C-alpha cells in the first residue's frame, strides 16, 4: 500500500479550504468573471447524488429491467430519428431523451430544490418556469424567476442563444422539441445560480420553459441537466473538460454519483482502468461516440465485420456511450452473433418472446439448479478491452426461473452502450484528452 490516499485527501482538504476563502468575497464583490468562478469551483470539484428513476418504487431488479427497457426503446427510436435526419423540428444542439437518473439540485436565491434528469444524450439545462401557459404536471411548484434575486435574462446576442438558434424578443426566445413524447416547448434563456450538493454555481445559462405548445408531457420530468458535448451543456458551461459518474447496480437501492471538476478523477487510477478515445460526429456534436471493434463471449471472438460499428461520414452508424439508456443496443447483424453465441454456449432452453416489450434473449433456468455458469463478455473498444461483470449483462428472475441478457437489437444502424453495462465502473469523460475511461469501482461506496 502506498501513502497516496492520506496525501490525496489532505490536498483536497487544503484546496477546499482555499477555495472557500477565495470564493466568498468574490461572489459579493463580483471582482471575478463568471469563468474565474467556474474555474475555482472546478478546482474544488462537485459531487452530486443520483437516484435511479425507479428507486422510490418497490420494484425488483427484473421489473426494473423491464421498465428501463421500455424507456430505453423509445429513447433509442428518437436517437435514430435524429441521426437519420428524419425529424425537421430538432434544432442542432438539443437532443433531450428518455432518462434513468435523477439529480437533486437547487435553483435561485433563495435556493428551491428540484429533481432533474441527468442526461449525457442532450445539452440544454431546462426547467418549467412561471408563468407557464400550459405546463407538465410536476411534483414541486414550478420555478418562479420573480422569486429569485439571482435571476437575469440572457441576451439574444449570447453564444448560448446562438447555439439554441433562438430569436430576439425581450431576451432569447427559443422553441425546443422534446423527443420522448413529441412535445414542443417555448421558452427563454435565463442566467441563474444553481446549487449542486453544497456547491453553489453562479452564471448558468438555462432554458426557462414557458409554454408547452404541443404534446401532453405526461410522466415527464420537470427539469433536465444536459451533459452532452454541445455548448449549452453543464459540462461545456463550466469549462471543465472532465466529469465522471459511478452507477450502482440495477438491484441496488443506494444512490449513484456524478462527479465534476477535480472530484471527477479523485478515485481514478490509470493502472486499474481502461481508456478509449472519444470520437466526434460533426452531424451530432452532442453524443459521446466511441469505437467498438469487437466482442468476445466466453473466449470466442465473434466474427463481427470491422465496419459494423463504424461511424459513417454522413453521420449515421457508430456507437455512443449513454447514461440515459438502460440496456446496450447493437445493430442487428452484431446482435444476432451475440445471441447465437450465448445460445450455443449456455445450452439452455430459450424462452420464446411472444411480445416485443420483453428482452430480446431470455433463457429458462433448469429447475433445482441454483447457479449456472455464464460465459464472460468482453467489449473490445479501441485500446480498451472491457471485461464486464456478469451482473452487468445477465439478469435473473429466480422466482420464474428466467434469465435474460440485458442487451437488445437496435432499430437502426446506431448502437448504444447502455448504463446497465456501465454499472460499478467509474466512467470518466475527459474532453481535453478526448477519452473515456472505465475503472472497476464499488459505486455504492461513494
Ligand atoms: C419475476 O417475475 C414475476 C412475473 O413477472 C414477478 O412478479 C416477480 O416480481 C419477478 N421477480 C423478481 C425477483 O424480479
Ligand atoms: C414539427 O412541429 C410542428 C409544429 O410546429 C408540427 O406541426 C409538426 O408535426 C412537427 N413535425 C414533426 C415531424 O414532429
Ligand atoms: C413577475 O414579474 C413581472 C414584472 O414584475 C410580471 O409581469 C409577472 O407577471 C410576474 N410573474 C409572476 C409569476 O408573478
Ligand atoms: C413566490 O413568492 C411568493 C411570495 O413570497 C410566494 O407566495 C409564492 O409561492 C412563490 N412562488 C414559488 C413558485 O415559489
Ligand atoms: C459539503 O458537504 C459535505 C458533507 O455533507 C461536507 O463534508 C463538505 O465540507 C461540504 N463542502 C462545502 C464546500 O461546504
Ligand atoms: C449572468 O449574470 C451575472 C451576474 O448576475 C453576470 O456577471 C454574467 O455575465 C451573466 N452571464 C451572462 C452570460 O450574461
Ligand atoms: C445485487 O446483485 C448482486 C449480484 O447478483 C449481489 O451481489 C448484491 O448483493 C445485490 N444487491 C442487492 C441490494 O440486492
Ligand atoms: C464488411 O462489410 C463491408 C460493407 O458492408 C463489405 O464491403 C465487406 O466485404 C465486409 N467484410 C467482410 C470481411 O465481410
Ligand atoms: C450513410 O452512409 C452509409 C455508409 O456509407 C450508407 O450505408 C447509408 O445509406 C447512408 N445514409 C444516408 C441517410 O445517406
Ligand atoms: C406484452 O406484454 C405486456 C406486459 O408484459 C402486455 O401488457 C401486453 O398486452 C403484451 N402484448 C401482446 C401483444 O401480447
Ligand atoms: C474513493 O477514494 C477515497 C480516498 O482514497 C476512498 O476513501 C473511497 O473509499 C473511494 N471510493 C470508492 C467508491 O472507491
Amino acid at each position: 500500500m502506498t501513502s497516496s490516499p492520506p496525501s490525496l485527501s489532505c490536498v483536497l482538504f487544503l484546496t477546499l479550504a482555499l477555495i472557500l476563502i477565495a470564493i466568498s468575497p468574490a461572489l459579493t464583490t463580483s471582482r471575478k468573471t463568471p469563468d474565474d468562478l467556474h474555474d475555482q469551483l472546478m478546482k474544488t470539484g462537485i459531487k452530486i447524488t443520483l437516484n435511479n428513476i425507479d428507486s422510490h418504487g418497490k420494484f425488483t431488479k427484473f421489473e426494473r429491467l423491464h421498465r428501463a427497457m421500455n424507456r430505453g426503446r423509445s429513447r433509442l427510436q428518437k436517437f435514430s430519428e435524429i441521426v437519420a435526419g428524419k425529424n425537421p423540428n430538432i434544432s442542432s444542439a438539443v437532443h433531450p431523451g428518455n432518462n434513468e437518473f435523477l439529480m437533486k439540485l437547487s435553483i435561485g436565491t433563495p435556493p428551491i430544490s428540484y429533481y432533474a434528469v441527468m442526461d449525457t444524450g442532450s445539452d440544454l439545462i431546462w426547467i418549467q418556469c412561471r408563468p407557464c401557459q400550459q405546463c407538465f404536471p410536476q411534483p414541486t411548484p414550478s420555478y418562479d424567476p420573480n422569486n429569485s434575486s439571482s435571476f437575469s435574462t440572457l441576451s439574444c446576442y449570447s453564444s448560448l442563444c446562438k447555439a439554441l438558434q433562438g430569436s430576439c424578443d425581450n431576451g432569447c426566445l427559443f422553441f425546443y422539441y422534446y423527443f420522448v413524447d413529441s412535445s414542443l416547448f417555448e421558452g427563454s434563456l435565463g442566467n441563474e445560480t444553481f446549487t449542486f450538493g453544497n456547491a453553489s454555481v453562479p452564471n448558468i445559462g438555462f432554458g426557462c420553459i414557458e409554454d408547452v405548445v404541443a404534446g401532453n408531457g405526461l410522466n415527464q420530468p420537470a427539469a433536465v441537466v444536459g451533459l452532452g458535448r454541445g455548448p449549452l451543456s453543464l459540462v461545456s458551461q463550466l469549462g471543465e473538460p472532465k466529469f465522471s459518474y459511478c452507477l450502482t447496480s440495477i438491484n441496488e437501492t443506494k444512490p449513484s454519483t456524478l462527479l465534476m471538476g477535480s472530484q471527477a478523477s479523485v478515485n481514478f487510477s490509470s493502472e486499474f482502468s481502461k481508456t478509449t478515445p472519444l470520437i466526434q460526429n460533426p452531424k451530432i456534436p452532442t453524443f459521446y461516440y466511441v469505437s467498438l471493434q469487437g466482442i468476445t463471449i466466453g473466449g470466442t471472438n465473434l466474427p463481427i465485420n470491422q465496419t459494423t460499428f463504424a461511424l459513417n461520414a454522413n453521420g449515421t452508424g457508430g456507437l455512443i456511450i449513454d447514461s440515459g439508456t438502460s440496456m446496450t443496443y447493437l445493430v442487428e447483424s452484431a446482435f444476432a452473433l451475440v445471441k447465437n453465441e450465448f445460445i450455443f454456449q449456455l445450452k439452455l432452453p430459450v424462452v420464446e418472446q411472444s411480445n416485443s416489450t420483453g428482452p430480446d434473449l431470455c433463457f429458462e433456468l433448469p429447475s433445482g439448479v441454483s447457479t449456472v455458469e455464464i460465459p464472460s463478455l468482453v467489449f473490445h473498444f479501441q485500446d480498451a478491452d472491457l471485461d464486464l461483470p456478469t451482473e452487468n449483462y445477465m439478469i435473473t428472475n429466480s422466482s420464474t426461473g428466467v434469465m435474460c441478457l440485458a442487451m437488445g437489437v437496435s432499430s437502426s444502424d446506431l448502437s448504444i452502450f447502455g448504463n446497465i453495462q456501465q454499472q460499478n465502473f467509474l466512467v470518466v469523460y475527459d474532453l481535453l484528452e478526448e477519452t473515456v475511461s472505465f475503472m472497476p469501482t464499488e459505486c455504492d461506496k461513494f
Side-chain angles (χ1 to χ4, degrees), residues 112 114 130 141-144 147:
I112 310 280
Y114 299 94
R130 280 193 193 190
S142 49
Y143 161 83
D144 188 347
N147 281 14

Side-chain angles (χ1 to χ4, degrees), residues 30 32-34 149-155 158-160 191-193 202-205:
S30 43
K32 300 280 183 191
T33 68
S149 62
S150 47
F151 174 83
S152 61
T153 54
L154 265 192
S155 150
S158 63
S159 57
L160 293 186
N191 176 359
E192 253 295 15
T193 298
N203 313 309
I204 297 291

Side-chain angles (χ1 to χ4, degrees), residues 222-373:
V224 168
V225 172
L227 293 177
R229 303 194 72 172
L232 292 155
S233 77
L234 180 62
V235 180
S236 301
Q237 289 196 45
L238 291 175
E240 159 62 43
K242 230 184 230 185
F243 71 97
S244 64
Y245 52 69
C246 205
L247 307 176
T248 55
S249 161
I250 193 166
N251 65 343
E252 188 54 70
T253 48
K254 297 229 181 69
S256 301
T257 308
L258 171 67
L259 300 154
M260 313 207 56
S262 65
Q263 300 252 353
S265 46
V266 154
N267 281 57
F268 182 75
S269 149
S270 54
E271 189 186 342
F272 299 110
S273 63
K274 299 283 169 67
T275 297
T276 189
L278 280 169
I279 298 166
Q280 298 211 30
N281 180 356
K283 296 269 162 61
I284 305 167
T286 301
F287 290 170
Y288 294 98
Y289 285 87
V290 289
S291 168
L292 179 60
Q293 304 181 329
I295 295 174
T296 296
I297 296 172
T300 302
N301 195 351
L302 303 181
I304 296 174
N305 189 321
Q306 280 300 303
T307 61
T308 304
F309 300 114
L311 176 62
N312 299 316
N314 61 15
T316 65
L319 177 136
I320 61 171
I321 171 166
D322 185 31
S323 65
T325 307
S326 52
M327 304 202 311
T328 287
Y329 290 95
L330 300 178
V331 292
E332 207 168 354
S333 63
F335 185 75
L337 292 170
V338 168
K339 182 175 176 172
N340 290 341
E341 192 61 31
F342 272 114
I343 292 172
F344 175 73
Q345 292 193 23
L346 272 167
K347 299 188 166 58
L348 291 173
V350 173
V351 178
E352 289 306 333
Q353 300 290 313
S354 54
N355 191 319
S356 66
T357 62
D360 289 321
L361 181 59
C362 293
F363 296 96
E364 209 175 292
L365 293 173
S367 56
V369 172
S370 56
T371 51
V372 170
E373 199 180 319

Side-chain angles (χ1 to χ4, degrees), residues 16-126:
L16 201 78
L18 285 172
I19 297 307
L20 282 179
I21 295 162
I23 237 173
S24 347
L27 277 175
T28 48
T29 62
S30 43
R31 273 195 314 261
K32 300 280 183 191
T33 68
D35 282 352
D36 289 341
L37 287 172
H38 289 170
D39 284 354
Q40 285 176 336
L41 270 164
M42 289 300 97
K43 275 181 199 139
T44 319
I46 305 177
K47 180 173 165 186
I48 305 167
T49 299
L50 300 170
N51 288 302
N52 185 283
I53 211 157
D54 281 339
S55 68
H56 296 300
K58 288 197 173 59
F59 302 113
T60 64
K61 67 176 168 180
F62 208 71
E63 288 163 338
R64 278 202 190 184
L65 174 69
H66 271 264
R67 292 171 60 82
M69 268 188 52
N70 290 336
R71 295 190 295 266
R73 287 243 183 256
S74 115
R75 183 174 173 94
L76 177 71
Q77 185 61 40
K78 301 302 174 185
F79 278 175
S80 305
E81 284 173 17
I82 317 167
V83 175
K86 275 191 197 135
N87 203 318
N89 283 344
I90 299 156
S91 74
S92 61
V94 193
H95 311 292
N98 220 337
N99 286 286
E100 296 291 306
F101 292 95
L102 298 175
M103 58 164 96
K104 196 174 178 188
L105 50 76
S106 305
I107 306 178
T109 313
I112 310 280
S113 301
Y114 299 94
Y115 277 99
V117 152
M118 171 190 84
D119 190 5
T120 51
S122 72
D123 289 333
L124 186 66
I125 302 166
W126 63 265

